[in-house]
Amino acid sequence: MAPLLEARSLCKAFGAVTAADNISVAVAEREVVGIIGANGAGKTTFVNMVTGYLKPDTGSISYQGRDITRLGPRATARTGICRSFQIPQTFARFTVLDNMLVALNVARKRDLFFWRPAHDAELDAVAQGLLAGLGISGHRDQIAGTLPQGVRKILDIAMAMVSAPKVILLDEPTSGISTDEKHAAMDTVMNALGERGVTILFVEHDMEIVERYAGRVIAFYDGRILADGAPAQVLSDADVRRYVVGGELHRRQPRKGVA
Amino acid sequence: MSVLTDRNVLVLLAAIPLLIAAGPIMPDWVRFFLQVSLASGLAVLGVVVQMRAGLVSFGQGLYYCLGAYAAGMTGHFVGVTDVFALLGLGIVVAAGVAVVLGFLMSRYREIFFAMLSLALSMILYGLLVKAEVLGSTDGFNLPKATFLGLAPTEQALRFAVYALTCAVTLLAAIFLYRYLKSPMGRIGEAIAQNEIRVEYLGSSARTVVHITYVLAAALSGAGGALAALANGHVDPEMANWTTSGQFVFVALLSGTGNVAAPLIGNFLLEMIRVYAVAWSPYTWQLILGATMLLVILFLPGGLWSLVERRKAGG
Amino acid sequence: MLKLVAIFIDGLVYASWLFMVSVGLTLIYGVMKILNIAHGSLFALGAYAAASLVGAYFASGLPPAGSYVVLPVAAVIVGAFFGLLIERGILRFMYGRDEVLMVLVTYAVFLVLEDVIKLVWGVDPYFTAQPYGLLGTIDVLGLPYAVYDFALIAIALALGAAVWWGLNRTGRGKLLVAVIHDREMSRAMGINVTAMFLVTFIIGSMLGAIGGALTAPKISVVPGIGVEVIVLAFAVVVIGGLGSIGGAAVGALVAGFVRAATVHLYPEAELFVIYGVMALVLAVWPHGLFAQAEARKI
């Protein structure tokens, strides 16, 4: 079967730093792929290239057989590839509901409507349903900027899910969430996405979470792909243990928001 | 929610006949100030709608002046005197220029947007000051206007233009009120908070900014044309930074949370200005600047936030 | 040929002047991320202070050459005083607020200072042409040029060199550059960022005032010169890239030569040719020639 999303030989350098060195990844529909690697290994660069925030220096990306290498974030999102962010990107002065309503109006191509109100009973209900599905409907009327980090990360994912994407890239969905809440949050998110049949790529530092959800793991190191395959196989790979997982074990607390 | 069940819309709608009916009762000078302040209030609304999208225009006088000169020049040189035609022209010219300049401006935010808007308005100011055929710094007078083909008496005409100004300004306020609640208005606000997210949702921030810019220009152009009709005169001062500065001042002072507050604020300010300038001609900008600093420091939501706070409190 | 020489010299003189009035603006922005609209007021204050002090000096009958000392001294005093006042009195309460708000703040300061100037000096023009005339003229290929204008070129070079040397060759300057690159890190390393800001703002203000003082003998000093200068200075620094000293120099040269060429070849466009160049540059390089748009971390 032809892959749904395929990156071929992506290279990207920032000055002297090579952030992506010949990255090739093919993802099939409904696959759940965990991406691991130490900080600076090139994981976020990869996500940024696939979603159009960065243009690769060389290489190409195709989605459903269509070349999307040169598309920016907006056009990429419209093809059905959405993402969440390591630092959650929300509208900090809006309530959670208003955040969702903006996303819903855009998803329904009403973004240039200028007379009818942005919210109505039907949209409110849809938003409410999505929030409930992710377990944060209790925060509906809270201002996004005042949310606890964990809830803001879920809201960020919820906004990405509004347009019913076929592929979603989650950039460290559990970073900044306390250890005891991580699993519950991840369960909810992965279930919601799974129900919708979304293809998932997620960047993660917590190997327990990777093992639990990923059907396949890709290990990044120094801008290259070190290993790519079944979780058990990749996580037991000697190089991966040495350069990636070992590093993870020695990491103290996961760093807050910034990285 | 239908338009006519919205209480705020109804209040603004009801204000139109009330203001018009109150016209003949008011002393002439009060009515005149009300009329002028409603006209320039449209330009303030232009600043407000941009501010909601995080864009500070230090040069809204550009479009205020363009609207006024478009109306004035058409009256003076072409001989068209119908108020509706002149008003329409003011809007079309201002919006047309904004469509073109918007391609440049919509690429910019924050300080670049602020400074480029200032630069653009100062270019127009410089051009008009040098244009002797347009009376340089003195400007020129408009011919007596006509109303739908009628040439009413001076008194009746003055009232008709007053009524038109009230109607146009409040209808514009209603439009803006709806606009700010609409998806595009909300996305404008969203752009001010997180443009990257807006793009990742699949909406074009540049397009929304461009449209907002044109909308603001159209409002300001209408204001300029109405001001020209009210005064019977235009001059380059309308494009000068001091004019734009006052628009920003009123927007900041009234806050951007409410579409009526800037209109009320502008009226009060016009009244205060007359006395302040007569009493001490060189302290007006000083008072504006000092008040602005105090508001920024202590009342980030503008003076209107005091009213809102009281409402919320009790 | 003669025209080319004239364009070259006029361009150089005008570029020097542009650099002088814009270097302080870009310095303050580079270090503090504040686009200081009140820079225009500092220019005007410098011009007024110089005009009245030099006027008083000549009235006292002291040797005319001394006026060349009075000019910069007036500027430095006025710049230091108002720089200190604005930074300590207003700006320091606003640090950390966003850039747009800081523009509004400096705009408010600008409004206030415009009236302060009118209250102190009135609205009638001041003339102080003596220092300009005193140096006489020299002929270049038969064209008379004011020696004062050539002196401006030298002074602009000296100011540029001084700022560059101060930033790149002195310990304190290097600290300042560190602040430019990472405020948080500098603070963590024990650099006194507050003091750095104050010093930068005062130096920037002095530069603005010096620009005004040196311009005063060439013009009639009237209300409203501040706003022209701030808009022009912004155009210049934007061409090069906001916040870069080298960018200001390049911007000044580009704008200076383009304007000189326009004045000689097509004078009608003089008024807005600089803005035209700015618009062209921005159309190709959205943030100026030497500025890199920072990608936001997401």
Side-chain angles (χ1 to χ4, degrees), chain A residues 51 53 74 77-78 89 91-93 98 110-111 113 118 156, chain B residues 178 181-184 186-187 193-194 197 199-204:
Chain A
T51 56
Y53 190 63
R74 182 175 5 119
R78 284 185 184 158
Q89 302 291 324
F91 305 122
R93 294 196 294 272
D98 282 344
R110 291 185 192 169
D111 43 344
F113 284 24
D156 184 47
Chain B
R178 293 285 292 196
K181 283 183 173 315
S182 76
M184 188 155 46
R186 297 299 276 173
I187 290 168
Q193 298 171 53
N194 194 336
R197 176 45 108 178
E199 287 280 326
Y200 265 111
L201 288 175
S203 184
S204 165

PDB file of all heavy atoms in Angstrom, chain A residues 51 53 74 77-78 89 91-93 98 110-111 113 118 156, chain B residues 178 181-184 186-187 193-194 197 199-204:
ATOM      1  N   THR A  51       4.943  20.105   8.624  1.00  0.00           N
ATOM      2  CA  THR A  51       3.747  20.947   8.734  1.00  0.00           C
ATOM      3  C   THR A  51       3.945  22.316   8.091  1.00  0.00           C
ATOM      4  O   THR A  51       3.102  23.197   8.227  1.00  0.00           O
ATOM      5  CB  THR A  51       3.350  21.142  10.207  1.00  0.00           C
ATOM      6  OG1 THR A  51       4.466  21.677  10.915  1.00  0.00           O
ATOM      7  CG2 THR A  51       2.921  19.849  10.832  1.00  0.00           C
ATOM      8  N   TYR A  53       6.136  24.826   8.576  1.00  0.00           N
ATOM      9  CA  TYR A  53       6.689  25.990   9.272  1.00  0.00           C
ATOM     10  C   TYR A  53       8.101  26.268   8.772  1.00  0.00           C
ATOM     11  O   TYR A  53       8.530  27.407   8.684  1.00  0.00           O
ATOM     12  CB  TYR A  53       6.681  25.744  10.780  1.00  0.00           C
ATOM     13  CG  TYR A  53       7.002  26.973  11.609  1.00  0.00           C
ATOM     14  CD1 TYR A  53       6.159  28.079  11.575  1.00  0.00           C
ATOM     15  CD2 TYR A  53       8.139  27.025  12.411  1.00  0.00           C
ATOM     16  CE1 TYR A  53       6.440  29.196  12.319  1.00  0.00           C
ATOM     17  CE2 TYR A  53       8.422  28.144  13.167  1.00  0.00           C
ATOM     18  CZ  TYR A  53       7.571  29.231  13.124  1.00  0.00           C
ATOM     19  OH  TYR A  53       7.849  30.341  13.872  1.00  0.00           O
ATOM     20  N   ARG A  74      -0.550  27.096   6.642  1.00  0.00           N
ATOM     21  CA  ARG A  74      -1.971  27.218   6.363  1.00  0.00           C
ATOM     22  C   ARG A  74      -2.408  26.184   5.321  1.00  0.00           C
ATOM     23  O   ARG A  74      -3.361  25.439   5.522  1.00  0.00           O
ATOM     24  CB  ARG A  74      -2.258  28.626   5.860  1.00  0.00           C
ATOM     25  CG  ARG A  74      -3.694  28.880   5.589  1.00  0.00           C
ATOM     26  CD  ARG A  74      -3.937  30.326   5.222  1.00  0.00           C
ATOM     27  NE  ARG A  74      -2.734  31.124   5.093  1.00  0.00           N
ATOM     28  CZ  ARG A  74      -2.367  31.738   3.976  1.00  0.00           C
ATOM     29  NH1 ARG A  74      -3.080  31.616   2.882  1.00  0.00           N
ATOM     30  NH2 ARG A  74      -1.280  32.474   3.955  1.00  0.00           N
ATOM     31  N   ALA A  77      -2.219  22.667   6.650  1.00  0.00           N
ATOM     32  CA  ALA A  77      -3.349  22.369   7.535  1.00  0.00           C
ATOM     33  C   ALA A  77      -4.585  22.049   6.708  1.00  0.00           C
ATOM     34  O   ALA A  77      -5.360  21.159   7.049  1.00  0.00           O
ATOM     35  CB  ALA A  77      -3.609  23.548   8.462  1.00  0.00           C
ATOM     36  N   ARG A  78      -4.759  22.772   5.613  1.00  0.00           N
ATOM     37  CA  ARG A  78      -5.958  22.551   4.794  1.00  0.00           C
ATOM     38  C   ARG A  78      -5.948  21.210   4.076  1.00  0.00           C
ATOM     39  O   ARG A  78      -6.999  20.709   3.700  1.00  0.00           O
ATOM     40  CB  ARG A  78      -6.108  23.676   3.770  1.00  0.00           C
ATOM     41  CG  ARG A  78      -6.625  24.958   4.421  1.00  0.00           C
ATOM     42  CD  ARG A  78      -6.864  26.005   3.376  1.00  0.00           C
ATOM     43  NE  ARG A  78      -7.267  27.268   3.984  1.00  0.00           N
ATOM     44  CZ  ARG A  78      -7.137  28.439   3.383  1.00  0.00           C
ATOM     45  NH1 ARG A  78      -6.614  28.507   2.174  1.00  0.00           N
ATOM     46  NH2 ARG A  78      -7.527  29.536   3.986  1.00  0.00           N
ATOM     47  N   GLN A  89       0.041  26.476  21.711  1.00  0.00           N
ATOM     48  CA  GLN A  89      -0.290  27.717  21.009  1.00  0.00           C
ATOM     49  C   GLN A  89      -1.794  27.925  21.093  1.00  0.00           C
ATOM     50  O   GLN A  89      -2.558  27.361  20.325  1.00  0.00           O
ATOM     51  CB  GLN A  89       0.149  27.629  19.549  1.00  0.00           C
ATOM     52  CG  GLN A  89       1.633  27.366  19.357  1.00  0.00           C
ATOM     53  CD  GLN A  89       2.483  28.550  19.762  1.00  0.00           C
ATOM     54  OE1 GLN A  89       2.109  29.696  19.564  1.00  0.00           O
ATOM     55  NE2 GLN A  89       3.622  28.275  20.366  1.00  0.00           N
ATOM     56  N   PHE A  91      -5.067  30.958  22.166  1.00  0.00           N
ATOM     57  CA  PHE A  91      -5.358  32.394  22.233  1.00  0.00           C
ATOM     58  C   PHE A  91      -5.543  32.739  23.702  1.00  0.00           C
ATOM     59  O   PHE A  91      -6.594  32.506  24.292  1.00  0.00           O
ATOM     60  CB  PHE A  91      -6.591  32.719  21.400  1.00  0.00           C
ATOM     61  CG  PHE A  91      -6.461  32.247  19.980  1.00  0.00           C
ATOM     62  CD1 PHE A  91      -7.374  31.369  19.424  1.00  0.00           C
ATOM     63  CD2 PHE A  91      -5.386  32.668  19.195  1.00  0.00           C
ATOM     64  CE1 PHE A  91      -7.236  30.922  18.120  1.00  0.00           C
ATOM     65  CE2 PHE A  91      -5.243  32.219  17.887  1.00  0.00           C
ATOM     66  CZ  PHE A  91      -6.171  31.344  17.352  1.00  0.00           C
ATOM     67  N   ALA A  92      -4.488  33.306  24.269  1.00  0.00           N
ATOM     68  CA  ALA A  92      -4.379  33.371  25.718  1.00  0.00           C
ATOM     69  C   ALA A  92      -5.463  34.222  26.380  1.00  0.00           C
ATOM     70  O   ALA A  92      -5.811  33.980  27.525  1.00  0.00           O
ATOM     71  CB  ALA A  92      -2.995  33.889  26.100  1.00  0.00           C
ATOM     72  N   ARG A  93      -6.003  35.195  25.661  1.00  0.00           N
ATOM     73  CA  ARG A  93      -6.987  36.069  26.313  1.00  0.00           C
ATOM     74  C   ARG A  93      -8.427  35.610  26.068  1.00  0.00           C
ATOM     75  O   ARG A  93      -9.356  36.198  26.574  1.00  0.00           O
ATOM     76  CB  ARG A  93      -6.809  37.514  25.828  1.00  0.00           C
ATOM     77  CG  ARG A  93      -5.483  38.133  26.250  1.00  0.00           C
ATOM     78  CD  ARG A  93      -5.491  39.641  26.107  1.00  0.00           C
ATOM     79  NE  ARG A  93      -5.600  40.082  24.739  1.00  0.00           N
ATOM     80  CZ  ARG A  93      -4.564  40.282  23.921  1.00  0.00           C
ATOM     81  NH1 ARG A  93      -3.341  40.067  24.364  1.00  0.00           N
ATOM     82  NH2 ARG A  93      -4.734  40.688  22.688  1.00  0.00           N
ATOM     83  N   ASP A  98     -14.070  29.982  23.404  1.00  0.00           N
ATOM     84  CA  ASP A  98     -13.798  30.902  22.297  1.00  0.00           C
ATOM     85  C   ASP A  98     -12.615  30.436  21.456  1.00  0.00           C
ATOM     86  O   ASP A  98     -12.603  30.614  20.233  1.00  0.00           O
ATOM     87  CB  ASP A  98     -13.548  32.319  22.824  1.00  0.00           C
ATOM     88  CG  ASP A  98     -14.859  33.011  23.193  1.00  0.00           C
ATOM     89  OD1 ASP A  98     -15.916  32.515  22.752  1.00  0.00           O
ATOM     90  OD2 ASP A  98     -14.814  34.022  23.901  1.00  0.00           O
ATOM     91  N   ARG A 110     -15.618  29.699   7.521  1.00  0.00           N
ATOM     92  CA  ARG A 110     -16.400  30.898   7.779  1.00  0.00           C
ATOM     93  C   ARG A 110     -15.480  32.025   8.212  1.00  0.00           C
ATOM     94  O   ARG A 110     -15.935  33.010   8.800  1.00  0.00           O
ATOM     95  CB  ARG A 110     -17.379  30.648   8.925  1.00  0.00           C
ATOM     96  CG  ARG A 110     -18.484  29.698   8.567  1.00  0.00           C
ATOM     97  CD  ARG A 110     -19.441  29.632   9.740  1.00  0.00           C
ATOM     98  NE  ARG A 110     -20.361  28.528   9.568  1.00  0.00           N
ATOM     99  CZ  ARG A 110     -21.171  28.099  10.534  1.00  0.00           C
ATOM    100  NH1 ARG A 110     -21.148  28.689  11.713  1.00  0.00           N
ATOM    101  NH2 ARG A 110     -21.987  27.102  10.306  1.00  0.00           N
ATOM    102  N   ASP A 111     -14.175  31.890   7.982  1.00  0.00           N
ATOM    103  CA  ASP A 111     -13.258  32.860   8.586  1.00  0.00           C
ATOM    104  C   ASP A 111     -13.425  34.257   8.014  1.00  0.00           C
ATOM    105  O   ASP A 111     -12.990  35.222   8.629  1.00  0.00           O
ATOM    106  CB  ASP A 111     -11.792  32.396   8.525  1.00  0.00           C
ATOM    107  CG  ASP A 111     -11.412  31.800   7.183  1.00  0.00           C
ATOM    108  OD1 ASP A 111     -12.319  31.458   6.410  1.00  0.00           O
ATOM    109  OD2 ASP A 111     -10.217  31.675   6.920  1.00  0.00           O
ATOM    110  N   PHE A 113     -16.498  35.485   7.236  1.00  0.00           N
ATOM    111  CA  PHE A 113     -17.860  35.950   7.524  1.00  0.00           C
ATOM    112  C   PHE A 113     -17.776  37.148   8.456  1.00  0.00           C
ATOM    113  O   PHE A 113     -17.034  37.121   9.433  1.00  0.00           O
ATOM    114  CB  PHE A 113     -18.677  34.843   8.197  1.00  0.00           C
ATOM    115  CG  PHE A 113     -19.140  33.767   7.242  1.00  0.00           C
ATOM    116  CD1 PHE A 113     -18.469  33.536   6.054  1.00  0.00           C
ATOM    117  CD2 PHE A 113     -20.248  32.988   7.541  1.00  0.00           C
ATOM    118  CE1 PHE A 113     -18.889  32.542   5.182  1.00  0.00           C
ATOM    119  CE2 PHE A 113     -20.677  31.988   6.675  1.00  0.00           C
ATOM    120  CZ  PHE A 113     -19.998  31.766   5.501  1.00  0.00           C
ATOM    121  N   ALA A 118     -19.977  34.686  15.635  1.00  0.00           N
ATOM    122  CA  ALA A 118     -19.037  33.576  15.560  1.00  0.00           C
ATOM    123  C   ALA A 118     -19.559  32.356  16.305  1.00  0.00           C
ATOM    124  O   ALA A 118     -19.093  31.256  16.085  1.00  0.00           O
ATOM    125  CB  ALA A 118     -17.687  34.000  16.115  1.00  0.00           C
ATOM    126  N   ASP A 156      -4.673  22.736  23.141  1.00  0.00           N
ATOM    127  CA  ASP A 156      -3.868  22.874  21.932  1.00  0.00           C
ATOM    128  C   ASP A 156      -4.158  21.712  20.973  1.00  0.00           C
ATOM    129  O   ASP A 156      -4.362  21.902  19.776  1.00  0.00           O
ATOM    130  CB  ASP A 156      -2.391  22.890  22.364  1.00  0.00           C
ATOM    131  CG  ASP A 156      -1.442  23.135  21.218  1.00  0.00           C
ATOM    132  OD1 ASP A 156      -1.695  24.054  20.434  1.00  0.00           O
ATOM    133  OD2 ASP A 156      -0.443  22.407  21.111  1.00  0.00           O
TER     134      ASP A 156
ATOM    135  N   ARG B 178     -21.426  44.159  15.140  1.00  0.00           N
ATOM    136  CA  ARG B 178     -21.651  42.822  14.609  1.00  0.00           C
ATOM    137  C   ARG B 178     -20.344  42.221  14.090  1.00  0.00           C
ATOM    138  O   ARG B 178     -20.048  41.051  14.290  1.00  0.00           O
ATOM    139  CB  ARG B 178     -22.677  42.872  13.466  1.00  0.00           C
ATOM    140  CG  ARG B 178     -24.047  43.237  13.922  1.00  0.00           C
ATOM    141  CD  ARG B 178     -24.716  42.098  14.629  1.00  0.00           C
ATOM    142  NE  ARG B 178     -25.022  40.995  13.739  1.00  0.00           N
ATOM    143  CZ  ARG B 178     -25.869  40.016  14.027  1.00  0.00           C
ATOM    144  NH1 ARG B 178     -26.497  40.019  15.182  1.00  0.00           N
ATOM    145  NH2 ARG B 178     -26.098  39.046  13.175  1.00  0.00           N
ATOM    146  N   LYS B 181     -18.093  40.648  16.618  1.00  0.00           N
ATOM    147  CA  LYS B 181     -18.572  39.379  17.149  1.00  0.00           C
ATOM    148  C   LYS B 181     -18.542  38.275  16.098  1.00  0.00           C
ATOM    149  O   LYS B 181     -18.782  37.117  16.400  1.00  0.00           O
ATOM    150  CB  LYS B 181     -20.017  39.529  17.632  1.00  0.00           C
ATOM    151  CG  LYS B 181     -20.147  40.240  18.968  1.00  0.00           C
ATOM    152  CD  LYS B 181     -21.610  40.257  19.349  1.00  0.00           C
ATOM    153  CE  LYS B 181     -21.848  40.785  20.743  1.00  0.00           C
ATOM    154  NZ  LYS B 181     -20.948  40.275  21.765  1.00  0.00           N
ATOM    155  N   SER B 182     -18.299  38.660  14.839  1.00  0.00           N
ATOM    156  CA  SER B 182     -18.348  37.691  13.746  1.00  0.00           C
ATOM    157  C   SER B 182     -17.062  36.878  13.702  1.00  0.00           C
ATOM    158  O   SER B 182     -16.074  37.235  14.358  1.00  0.00           O
ATOM    159  CB  SER B 182     -18.519  38.431  12.420  1.00  0.00           C
ATOM    160  OG  SER B 182     -17.283  39.013  12.060  1.00  0.00           O
ATOM    161  N   PRO B 183     -17.051  35.787  12.936  1.00  0.00           N
ATOM    162  CA  PRO B 183     -15.814  35.005  12.832  1.00  0.00           C
ATOM    163  C   PRO B 183     -14.609  35.865  12.443  1.00  0.00           C
ATOM    164  O   PRO B 183     -13.549  35.761  13.053  1.00  0.00           O
ATOM    165  CB  PRO B 183     -16.143  33.992  11.738  1.00  0.00           C
ATOM    166  CG  PRO B 183     -17.612  33.793  11.845  1.00  0.00           C
ATOM    167  CD  PRO B 183     -18.172  35.136  12.236  1.00  0.00           C
ATOM    168  N   MET B 184     -14.779  36.746  11.433  1.00  0.00           N
ATOM    169  CA  MET B 184     -13.611  37.520  11.013  1.00  0.00           C
ATOM    170  C   MET B 184     -13.137  38.446  12.122  1.00  0.00           C
ATOM    171  O   MET B 184     -11.938  38.591  12.357  1.00  0.00           O
ATOM    172  CB  MET B 184     -13.905  38.315   9.741  1.00  0.00           C
ATOM    173  CG  MET B 184     -12.654  38.955   9.213  1.00  0.00           C
ATOM    174  SD  MET B 184     -12.599  39.342   7.453  1.00  0.00           S
ATOM    175  CE  MET B 184     -14.120  40.107   7.117  1.00  0.00           C
ATOM    176  N   ARG B 186     -13.458  37.990  15.306  1.00  0.00           N
ATOM    177  CA  ARG B 186     -12.826  37.180  16.345  1.00  0.00           C
ATOM    178  C   ARG B 186     -11.445  36.715  15.898  1.00  0.00           C
ATOM    179  O   ARG B 186     -10.514  36.644  16.694  1.00  0.00           O
ATOM    180  CB  ARG B 186     -13.689  35.969  16.683  1.00  0.00           C
ATOM    181  CG  ARG B 186     -15.033  36.321  17.270  1.00  0.00           C
ATOM    182  CD  ARG B 186     -14.901  37.079  18.556  1.00  0.00           C
ATOM    183  NE  ARG B 186     -14.726  36.185  19.695  1.00  0.00           N
ATOM    184  CZ  ARG B 186     -14.456  36.614  20.929  1.00  0.00           C
ATOM    185  NH1 ARG B 186     -14.306  37.901  21.162  1.00  0.00           N
ATOM    186  NH2 ARG B 186     -14.324  35.762  21.911  1.00  0.00           N
ATOM    187  N   ILE B 187     -11.320  36.394  14.624  1.00  0.00           N
ATOM    188  CA  ILE B 187     -10.017  35.953  14.133  1.00  0.00           C
ATOM    189  C   ILE B 187      -9.036  37.125  14.169  1.00  0.00           C
ATOM    190  O   ILE B 187      -7.860  36.953  14.474  1.00  0.00           O
ATOM    191  CB  ILE B 187     -10.133  35.343  12.716  1.00  0.00           C
ATOM    192  CG1 ILE B 187     -10.870  34.008  12.818  1.00  0.00           C
ATOM    193  CG2 ILE B 187      -8.762  35.121  12.096  1.00  0.00           C
ATOM    194  CD1 ILE B 187     -11.314  33.436  11.515  1.00  0.00           C
ATOM    195  N   GLN B 193      -3.348  37.807  19.305  1.00  0.00           N
ATOM    196  CA  GLN B 193      -2.852  36.972  20.397  1.00  0.00           C
ATOM    197  C   GLN B 193      -1.869  35.915  19.932  1.00  0.00           C
ATOM    198  O   GLN B 193      -0.893  35.619  20.625  1.00  0.00           O
ATOM    199  CB  GLN B 193      -4.027  36.274  21.096  1.00  0.00           C
ATOM    200  CG  GLN B 193      -4.984  37.258  21.731  1.00  0.00           C
ATOM    201  CD  GLN B 193      -6.227  36.558  22.225  1.00  0.00           C
ATOM    202  OE1 GLN B 193      -6.161  35.595  22.966  1.00  0.00           O
ATOM    203  NE2 GLN B 193      -7.384  37.030  21.795  1.00  0.00           N
ATOM    204  N   ASN B 194      -2.133  35.302  18.799  1.00  0.00           N
ATOM    205  CA  ASN B 194      -1.275  34.213  18.361  1.00  0.00           C
ATOM    206  C   ASN B 194      -1.475  33.952  16.875  1.00  0.00           C
ATOM    207  O   ASN B 194      -2.281  33.133  16.465  1.00  0.00           O
ATOM    208  CB  ASN B 194      -1.594  32.950  19.164  1.00  0.00           C
ATOM    209  CG  ASN B 194      -0.519  31.898  19.004  1.00  0.00           C
ATOM    210  OD1 ASN B 194       0.209  31.897  18.017  1.00  0.00           O
ATOM    211  ND2 ASN B 194      -0.420  31.013  19.961  1.00  0.00           N
ATOM    212  N   ARG B 197      -0.900  30.338  15.441  1.00  0.00           N
ATOM    213  CA  ARG B 197      -1.998  29.407  15.630  1.00  0.00           C
ATOM    214  C   ARG B 197      -3.083  29.641  14.570  1.00  0.00           C
ATOM    215  O   ARG B 197      -3.652  28.698  14.028  1.00  0.00           O
ATOM    216  CB  ARG B 197      -2.553  29.537  17.042  1.00  0.00           C
ATOM    217  CG  ARG B 197      -3.755  28.692  17.320  1.00  0.00           C
ATOM    218  CD  ARG B 197      -3.621  27.273  16.821  1.00  0.00           C
ATOM    219  NE  ARG B 197      -3.448  26.295  17.879  1.00  0.00           N
ATOM    220  CZ  ARG B 197      -3.356  24.980  17.673  1.00  0.00           C
ATOM    221  NH1 ARG B 197      -3.413  24.498  16.434  1.00  0.00           N
ATOM    222  NH2 ARG B 197      -3.179  24.166  18.658  1.00  0.00           N
ATOM    223  N   GLU B 199      -2.721  30.703  11.569  1.00  0.00           N
ATOM    224  CA  GLU B 199      -2.274  30.112  10.307  1.00  0.00           C
ATOM    225  C   GLU B 199      -2.398  28.591  10.354  1.00  0.00           C
ATOM    226  O   GLU B 199      -2.836  27.969   9.392  1.00  0.00           O
ATOM    227  CB  GLU B 199      -0.818  30.497  10.027  1.00  0.00           C
ATOM    228  CG  GLU B 199      -0.638  31.956   9.618  1.00  0.00           C
ATOM    229  CD  GLU B 199      -0.977  32.200   8.146  1.00  0.00           C
ATOM    230  OE1 GLU B 199      -0.727  31.294   7.325  1.00  0.00           O
ATOM    231  OE2 GLU B 199      -1.485  33.287   7.829  1.00  0.00           O
ATOM    232  N   TYR B 200      -2.012  28.004  11.480  1.00  0.00           N
ATOM    233  CA  TYR B 200      -2.074  26.546  11.592  1.00  0.00           C
ATOM    234  C   TYR B 200      -3.497  26.022  11.627  1.00  0.00           C
ATOM    235  O   TYR B 200      -3.744  24.854  11.372  1.00  0.00           O
ATOM    236  CB  TYR B 200      -1.291  26.059  12.818  1.00  0.00           C
ATOM    237  CG  TYR B 200       0.116  25.651  12.472  1.00  0.00           C
ATOM    238  CD1 TYR B 200       1.208  26.376  12.902  1.00  0.00           C
ATOM    239  CD2 TYR B 200       0.349  24.517  11.693  1.00  0.00           C
ATOM    240  CE1 TYR B 200       2.500  26.010  12.563  1.00  0.00           C
ATOM    241  CE2 TYR B 200       1.632  24.133  11.355  1.00  0.00           C
ATOM    242  CZ  TYR B 200       2.711  24.883  11.792  1.00  0.00           C
ATOM    243  OH  TYR B 200       3.978  24.506  11.456  1.00  0.00           O
ATOM    244  N   LEU B 201      -4.441  26.891  11.960  1.00  0.00           N
ATOM    245  CA  LEU B 201      -5.834  26.459  11.889  1.00  0.00           C
ATOM    246  C   LEU B 201      -6.302  26.447  10.441  1.00  0.00           C
ATOM    247  O   LEU B 201      -7.334  25.873  10.114  1.00  0.00           O
ATOM    248  CB  LEU B 201      -6.730  27.386  12.711  1.00  0.00           C
ATOM    249  CG  LEU B 201      -6.608  27.280  14.233  1.00  0.00           C
ATOM    250  CD1 LEU B 201      -7.460  28.345  14.898  1.00  0.00           C
ATOM    251  CD2 LEU B 201      -7.011  25.902  14.715  1.00  0.00           C
ATOM    252  N   GLY B 202      -5.542  27.153   9.570  1.00  0.00           N
ATOM    253  CA  GLY B 202      -5.905  27.144   8.160  1.00  0.00           C
ATOM    254  C   GLY B 202      -6.507  28.448   7.673  1.00  0.00           C
ATOM    255  O   GLY B 202      -7.110  28.497   6.613  1.00  0.00           O
ATOM    256  N   SER B 203      -6.338  29.518   8.449  1.00  0.00           N
ATOM    257  CA  SER B 203      -6.868  30.806   8.009  1.00  0.00           C
ATOM    258  C   SER B 203      -5.699  31.733   7.678  1.00  0.00           C
ATOM    259  O   SER B 203      -4.624  31.619   8.249  1.00  0.00           O
ATOM    260  CB  SER B 203      -7.716  31.432   9.110  1.00  0.00           C
ATOM    261  OG  SER B 203      -8.287  32.627   8.637  1.00  0.00           O
ATOM    262  N   SER B 204      -5.925  32.668   6.743  1.00  0.00           N
ATOM    263  CA  SER B 204      -4.838  33.547   6.349  1.00  0.00           C
ATOM    264  C   SER B 204      -4.857  34.832   7.163  1.00  0.00           C
ATOM    265  O   SER B 204      -5.750  35.658   7.019  1.00  0.00           O
ATOM    266  CB  SER B 204      -4.962  33.888   4.863  1.00  0.00           C
ATOM    267  OG  SER B 204      -4.131  34.992   4.568  1.00  0.00           O
TER     268      SER B 204
END
